[in-house]
Amino acid sequence: MILEFLEQNTPENYEQHVDLVNRIITECNEGNHSFVKIAVILRAAKEVIEAVESQIKDNVVEEIENSNGESEYKKFKLEIHNTSKYDYSNCNWAKYVNAKKEIETKKEIVSECEKTLKYLKQEFADPDTGELIYPASKISSKTYKVTMLKK
């Protein structure tokens, strides 16, 4: 029943996608639904969708492979996409190992500097170089977090 509903309401092109988004926003703007309600519904749906996608991935790949590496459903095309990663941990090349260590050292220095600049209350002159150093600017914004209650 749920899959049938999703199937019937799945946008098949960009225009339908935009239309669905606009209809949801319009319903909220017109007071038909709470923005909080929509945020919770969307977060819960997203988590369910991600969990289902994760569990069906191997089966989808197998089904596509059994269809000569390509499959279509409605106006959607599915293809096998090969990905690769490289593991450099056992290459034993000193130049690479030393460069990685230098990067990590630089990252630690940057992190220490950022921590100092973050908590700096006012500008000061560096005693070694004489340069005037200013505190980091704080840029704030608001967002929301959705968590499921354990009841």
Side-chain angles (χ1 to χ4, degrees):
M1 182 150 154
I2 292 173
L3 288 177
E4 287 82 8
F5 172 80
L6 292 173
E7 181 179 27
Q8 291 170 3
N9 293 283
T10 299
E12 293 188 19
N13 56 48
Y14 182 73
E15 290 78 19
Q16 289 178 358
H17 169 85
V18 170
D19 181 58
L20 180 58
V21 169
N22 289 336
R23 286 191 331 219
I24 293 169
I25 299 302
T26 299
E27 287 194 21
C28 289
N29 286 335
E30 291 175 350
N32 297 328
H33 297 286
S34 156
F35 285 103
V36 169
K37 176 182 174 182
I38 297 299
V40 169
I41 291 169
L42 293 175
R43 180 58 52 93
K46 177 181 177 184
E47 289 176 9
V48 168
I49 289 166
E50 288 174 350
V52 171
E53 283 181 326
S54 170
Q55 292 183 34
I56 68 169
K57 177 185 156 205
D58 292 340
N59 299 85
V60 171
V61 168
E62 183 180 333
E63 196 172 315
I64 295 169
E65 285 176 336
N66 291 339
S67 300
N68 297 321
E70 198 174 281
S71 184
E72 289 185 15
Y73 180 75
K74 290 191 172 186
K75 293 188 178 184
F76 294 90
K77 180 178 181 179
L78 292 85
E79 300 173 288
I80 298 297
H81 182 117
N82 294 313
T83 60
S84 299
K85 287 192 331 184
Y86 292 92
D87 178 8
Y88 301 101
S89 61
N90 295 317
C91 292
N92 198 33
W93 188 16
K95 182 177 181 178
Y96 174 78
V97 171
N98 292 336
K100 288 290 281 184
K101 285 180 185 175
E102 286 180 35
I103 289 171
E104 289 307 311
T105 301
K106 298 292 184 188
K107 283 182 180 179
E108 289 173 14
I109 293 169
V110 167
S111 180
E112 289 172 16
C113 290
E114 287 174 347
K115 195 180 297 182
T116 299
L117 294 169
K118 181 176 173 180
Y119 293 106
L120 198 60
K121 299 295 180 204
Q122 62 185 25
E123 70 273 356
F124 76 98
D126 184 318
D128 297 328
T129 64
E131 68 183 315
L132 196 54
I133 300 171
Y134 297 94
S137 300
K138 184 176 182 179
I139 302 166
S140 298
S141 64
K142 290 184 181 179
T143 188
Y144 62 90
K145 178 180 177 183
V146 178
T147 55
M148 188 179 293
L149 300 175
K150 296 177 181 173
K151 289 185 180 179

